Amino acid sequence: MKFKTFAAFVGPSVFMMLLFIAAPLVSVFIQSFQVTQPILEQIEVETCTPGFLTQTCTTEIKTVPVLDEAGKTVTETRWVGLQSYRNVLQMDKFWSAVGNGSWNQIMQIDFWKALRFTLSFTLLTLPLVIGVGLAIALAVNNATRSIRGPIIFISLLPFIITPVIGSLSIYWLFVGDGILTAMMERWSGQNISMFAQAWTIELLMYFYRVWHVAPFAFVIFYAGLQTVNMDTLESAVIDGASRWERLRHVIVPHLMPLIIFIALIHLMDCYRVFDEIVGFRSQAHVISLQWLTFDFMTPDDAGNRAMSRASASSMLTMIGIVLLLIIPLRRTWRDHKGSAH
Amino acid sequence: MFLKKIALAGLVSLLGSAAMACSYQNEVPVKSLSAGFEAWKAVTDAMAECGNFQAELDQEFRTKQPAAFEANPSLYQIGGVSNGTITPLLNAGTIRPLDDLVEKYGQNLSPNQLIRINGQIMAVAMMVNTQHLMYRSDILADLGIDTPTTWDEVYAAAEKIKEAGVVDYPLGATMKSGWNIAQEFVNMYPGHGGKFFNDDNTTAVNSDAGLASLETMKKALDYTDPEVLVSDSTYVQQQFQQGKIAMANLWASRAGAMNDEAESQVVGKVAMAAAPKAVADGAPATTLWWDGIVIAKNISDEEADAAFRLAMEGLDIEMVQGANDAAIWLVGGYEPTDIATGAIETATANPAPPAYPSTTQMGLLHTALGNELPAFLTGERDAAATLIAIEEAYTTSAKEAGVLK
């Protein structure tokens, strides 16, 4: 392809990537080393608010931002080095908790609590998604042609649902006396509260994520299964390989690049787990790194946002994703180089 | 031609009906952004009758409002605020003083409605709101329990109700992690005589009153739904409506829903009383809130004039008479009914509960409370460690916001 043609095709998307991904990333990176504060002053303010019949007026010293002549808040931006990272990571508390050998104390620090959940969520759902996806793909592949269509359609349904809506429906099915909780209560004869303790919430989250993402793995694997070399399979049958041996030695090696592809996508998506936290309202028990960033950014009633900590926390999330991806990426790279020889 | 005539006739009749409900025809396009609860619906519907008005009712209004009002021209002319959410608008100077407009159009306002900051009218309040005790009068009467006035009495009553086993859970509580649970503490802490801040803007919650408040809050867990850390006002309201709980310290603005026959199975059975006291001779352990309107600064005087006139039309007697039980109105013509007794008793108690202390620092502390309290209630952390954690979380964010050096 001529370079000009290539550039014409790729140009718009490179431009979009620079504008919407690279530029914000650079800006977040810079902001994570800065703190922007309004200049504040203390003034005496008399505030009169309604009581039920008469007003109550109070005079107090309030800390309020200074406004310039145009009525804009005067702000000042300072470089603070790694201060925001320190505020997020709270290493001093972390090390003292490690010194005490207290896991519980480490789990009291927001970042480490979030990291613990994010990692176990990512790493536990990964094999499940691949396993379930592969199982569905094999089942569909071996099903009679006439029922294949409907089965594919039904297996794809969870993937079509918007993640927030999906997690909310799971929440409603299980919260309080939701239909499914009520059913479980009838079976077991006990009062069950799925959202009262961390482990049941986490279990529901794993279940939901696998249910939601497995169809994606299924579609990819199903496509991959169509390209398995039939000659190799048939010779394996003649050699007396069992179904399991055929899967282990022929099909899985053939699908390996796809498995790595799905693992990559899944790691990237899962490390940013967020919908489950909001949908399940699990903040009291379980939080994730992405939720932590969101929480820093959400303004409180007085309009304060912790932008510096939010930037630091999202940079840390990105570093985490990069670290996680290194292993599968190195493998792909090796395979890539290997195939070139 | 025929179609055109019909359309024209329809338009004229629409205008006619609008003119019937509204005393004038609004010519200037006006938009408003406010919370989405029943009272705001009533007010904005009344404003819409004058025409050229578009209301946005959004429970996430507080995250949108500061930025929307800072735009020039402002994206909305009218803002619906509460004493909690007016702070960022005041701080950024994006709302205008209303003295001249009140003089021009505010003949029907009572002095009680005018929110004055340093003597200038910055907002017009329309209703008060507070968390107070709601209880199933039938259950308490059956079991021979007097209306509880302190939290100790509430728990004693809850114990009896639990033994009798007449409802799933004796108590409901708005303890959803985040804003709601923080508000529970903000209610309880002044009730125990606590003070939120020292003079140098550091927080004073790490105190005996703080410990006492945490203890009182934790006792509730013996009587509530185990999933209480996910329950917000709407959830508690539904638990009441479905007859699952017998008592709760819930918002006055939710009282009307108890008698909504379309939703509630307990119509006429829920009574309201003053918020329980934390200590016998103290104030009810709650905070007083108001909701009202503000007018944006970054709009033309003509628009501000039209917006305020429209708002006054929305806050008139006719509106209140049409939606009497939607709120504890401050607007003239309001007839307090049974469901208002709790709020009125709370607000007129002696000593009276404080108004929600809305400041920059309070916003930061509220967030710190909302994030750190759940670990105490799940039992992962004891009371003393929780208060220290709250103090540290507040200090970190206060330093980042520039409130502390």
Side-chain angles (χ1 to χ4, degrees):
Chain A
M1 199 185 285
K2 270 195 239 153
F3 177 72
K4 233 181 177 177
T5 328
F6 175 74
F9 273 112
V10 174
S13 109
V14 169
F15 174 73
M16 292 291 183
M17 296 236 282
L18 284 177
L19 187 66
F20 293 115
I21 298 178
L25 211 59
V26 171
S27 135
V28 170
F29 181 70
I30 295 172
Q31 279 182 62
S32 70
F33 298 106
Q34 287 178 333
V35 163
T36 302
Q37 296 171 335
I39 309 279
L40 298 170
E41 61 179 350
Q42 295 208 315
I43 50 168
E44 202 177 63
V45 182
E46 189 199 28
T47 314
C48 294
T49 53
F52 190 67
L53 293 170
T54 51
Q55 285 205 317
T56 41
C57 294
T58 48
T59 306
E60 54 191 349
I61 308 279
K62 278 196 175 177
T63 307
V64 295
V66 180
L67 300 182
D68 65 10
E69 283 150 10
K72 291 254 180 258
T73 319
V74 187
T75 58
E76 149 193 75
T77 303
R78 282 183 295 122
W79 293 92
V80 292
L82 293 171
Q83 186 59 47
S84 303
Y85 290 90
R86 254 176 255 137
N87 289 343
V88 173
L89 290 170
Q90 305 194 40
M91 290 313 281
D92 47 340
K93 269 184 162 182
F94 176 74
W95 287 121
S96 83
V98 171
N100 297 338
S102 164
W103 174 254
N104 187 30
Q105 274 181 29
I106 302 178
M107 288 301 107
Q108 294 307 315
I109 311 170
D110 283 345
F111 177 82
W112 298 98
K113 185 179 171 187
L115 183 69
R116 199 282 303 155
F117 168 72
T118 309
L119 278 179
S120 37
F121 184 76
T122 311
L123 299 177
L124 280 174
T125 50
L126 177 65
L128 288 173
V129 163
I130 291 177
V132 173
L134 191 59
I136 305 175
L138 288 170
V140 172
N141 206 32
N142 290 326
T144 342
R145 198 163 277 279
S146 56
I147 56 166
R148 244 181 236 187
I151 292 185
I152 294 178
F153 175 72
I154 290 169
S155 342
L156 278 181
L157 276 180
F159 193 54
I160 300 170
I161 296 170
T162 314
V164 176
I165 304 299
S167 53
L168 274 178
S169 9
I170 299 274
Y171 174 78
W172 286 323
L173 283 174
F174 284 99
V175 76
D177 284 340
I179 305 176
L180 291 181
T181 314
M183 222 152 82
M184 293 191 314
E185 282 176 355
R186 190 172 293 178
W187 282 338
S188 65
Q190 289 177 4
N191 189 13
I192 296 175
S193 305
M194 293 299 280
F195 289 89
Q197 55 281 316
W199 69 271
T200 42
I201 298 181
E202 265 185 58
L203 216 62
L204 280 180
M205 285 177 170
Y206 296 145
F207 166 74
Y208 166 69
R209 184 52 78 110
V210 173
W211 175 77
H212 180 65
V213 185
F216 171 66
F218 150 63
V219 173
I220 307 277
F221 287 143
Y222 184 65
L225 283 177
Q226 309 311 309
T227 65
V228 173
N229 190 333
M230 279 314 190
D231 294 345
T232 325
L233 264 187
E234 275 162 23
S235 42
V237 173
I238 293 167
D239 288 347
S242 68
R243 194 174 270 266
W244 167 250
E245 281 166 335
R246 270 177 279 157
L247 177 68
R248 171 96 176 60
H249 295 289
V250 181
I251 295 177
V252 169
H254 178 74
L255 292 180
M256 210 51 195
L258 294 180
I259 292 180
I260 291 183
F261 166 73
I262 288 169
L264 278 176
I265 301 280
H266 187 75
L267 287 176
M268 277 193 277
D269 277 355
C270 262
Y271 201 75
R272 294 181 289 111
V273 47
F274 178 70
D275 305 307
E276 281 88 344
I277 307 287
V278 175
F280 289 13
R281 306 177 178 190
S282 69
Q283 295 92 323
H285 303 281
V286 178
I287 57 174
S288 74
L289 290 173
Q290 193 76 0
W291 183 83
L292 198 64
T293 310
F294 166 79
D295 189 47
F296 285 138
M297 268 196 317
T298 311
D300 60 33
D301 278 3
N304 307 300
R305 297 162 185 255
M307 282 315 277
S308 306
R309 269 185 293 164
S311 311
S313 152
S314 48
M315 286 320 286
L316 288 170
T317 309
M318 215 186 66
I319 293 169
I321 294 181
V322 171
L323 288 179
L324 264 187
L325 292 190
I326 280 179
I327 304 164
L329 272 179
R330 267 182 56 193
R331 205 197 139 102
T332 339
W333 179 242
R334 268 210 314 269
D335 289 354
H336 183 69
K337 276 212 316 210
S339 67
H341 285 293
Chain B
M1 200 58 207
F2 179 65
L3 272 177
K4 222 179 195 174
K5 260 186 193 161
I6 287 192
L8 207 69
L11 198 70
V12 168
S13 70
L14 266 178
L15 288 176
S17 69
M20 292 277 273
C22 180
S23 58
Y24 73 104
Q25 175 61 31
N26 179 39
E27 303 294 344
V28 185
V30 173
K31 283 173 83 176
S32 84
L33 173 65
S34 68
F37 53 82
E38 209 45 46
W40 280 114
K41 202 168 170 299
V43 171
T44 47
D45 282 352
M47 290 194 222
E49 285 166 0
C50 303
N52 263 325
F53 173 69
Q54 203 184 334
E56 201 170 315
L57 301 170
D58 184 349
Q59 284 296 74
E60 292 300 315
F61 73 101
R62 66 197 183 101
T63 54
K64 287 179 168 182
Q65 230 165 23
F69 274 63
E70 198 151 341
N72 198 357
S74 168
L75 302 185
Y76 303 91
Q77 286 77 28
I78 303 177
V81 297
S82 72
N83 52 332
T85 58
I86 195 176
T87 314
L89 304 178
L90 277 176
N91 281 351
T94 50
I95 50 176
R96 62 173 64 208
L98 304 172
D99 298 72
D100 49 340
L101 291 170
V102 168
E103 202 170 316
K104 197 165 165 193
Y105 296 114
Q107 300 82 7
N108 296 327
L109 295 174
S110 79
N112 191 20
Q113 281 180 272
L114 308 175
I115 308 299
R116 288 178 195 271
I117 314 279
N118 280 339
Q120 280 183 316
I121 302 168
M122 296 306 287
V124 175
M126 61 177 200
M127 57 177 275
V128 287
N129 203 356
T130 182
Q131 280 184 277
H132 61 63
L133 184 70
M134 300 194 189
Y135 62 96
R136 286 279 298 277
S137 50
D138 55 333
I139 292 178
L140 265 68
D142 283 351
L143 298 174
I145 305 169
D146 290 336
T147 309
T149 56
T150 65
W151 274 102
D152 287 338
E153 287 175 26
V154 170
Y155 294 137
E159 186 64 44
K160 280 187 195 162
I161 296 170
K162 195 178 176 183
E163 275 165 22
V166 282
V167 281
D168 290 3
Y169 310 105
L171 264 184
T174 50
M175 285 196 182
K176 182 184 169 191
S177 167
W179 194 92
N180 287 282
I181 193 170
Q183 183 53 34
E184 289 281 306
F185 183 86
V186 172
N187 286 336
M188 198 64 82
Y189 183 66
H192 278 285
K195 168 167 100 87
F196 287 105
F197 298 100
N198 300 315
D199 289 339
D200 58 355
N201 280 345
T202 53
T203 178
V205 289
N206 190 2
S207 61
D208 291 342
L211 284 176
S213 312
L214 289 184
E215 216 161 279
T216 315
M217 281 171 76
K218 192 159 199 172
K219 275 189 206 151
L221 296 188
D222 294 340
Y223 308 107
T224 57
D225 183 351
E227 289 171 348
V228 72
L229 292 179
V230 298
S231 81
D232 56 11
S233 320
T234 307
Y235 193 73
V236 175
Q237 173 194 318
Q238 287 165 350
Q239 283 183 314
F240 249 127
Q241 289 174 328
Q242 294 162 9
K244 288 182 181 165
I245 56 172
M247 291 184 291
N249 198 37
L250 191 60
W251 291 98
S253 52
R254 302 281 174 166
M258 300 301 156
N259 293 335
D260 178 352
E261 283 178 4
E263 291 177 0
S264 177
Q265 299 166 11
V266 291
V267 174
K269 291 179 184 168
V270 179
M272 322 294 154
K277 296 168 183 172
V279 288
D281 54 351
T286 187
T287 42
L288 296 180
W289 293 67
W290 56 262
D291 287 88
I293 59 120
V294 292
I295 305 287
K297 187 180 211 173
N298 294 338
I299 53 175
S300 68
D301 287 344
E302 186 207 359
E303 277 180 309
D305 194 274
F308 191 79
R309 190 175 174 201
L310 192 60
M312 288 307 103
E313 193 65 32
L315 296 180
D316 65 0
I317 296 173
E318 272 171 43
M319 183 280 298
V320 168
Q321 283 166 348
N324 195 54
D325 278 349
I328 314 293
W329 297 104
L330 292 168
V331 184
Y334 172 58
E335 301 283 343
T337 55
D338 281 348
I339 62 170
T341 44
I344 295 171
E345 276 175 30
T346 306
T348 53
N350 188 21
Y356 178 79
S358 181
T359 55
T360 308
Q361 298 93 297
M362 197 59 213
L364 298 165
L365 183 63
H366 207 113
T367 307
L369 287 166
N371 286 341
E372 304 299 336
L373 285 173
F376 169 68
L377 293 173
T378 56
E380 289 164 38
R381 190 158 56 193
D382 63 18
T386 304
L387 290 176
I388 294 173
I390 292 168
E391 199 177 8
E392 284 175 353
Y394 168 78
T395 308
T396 307
S397 48
K399 277 187 179 156
E400 191 175 331
V403 174
L404 285 177
K405 285 295 158 211

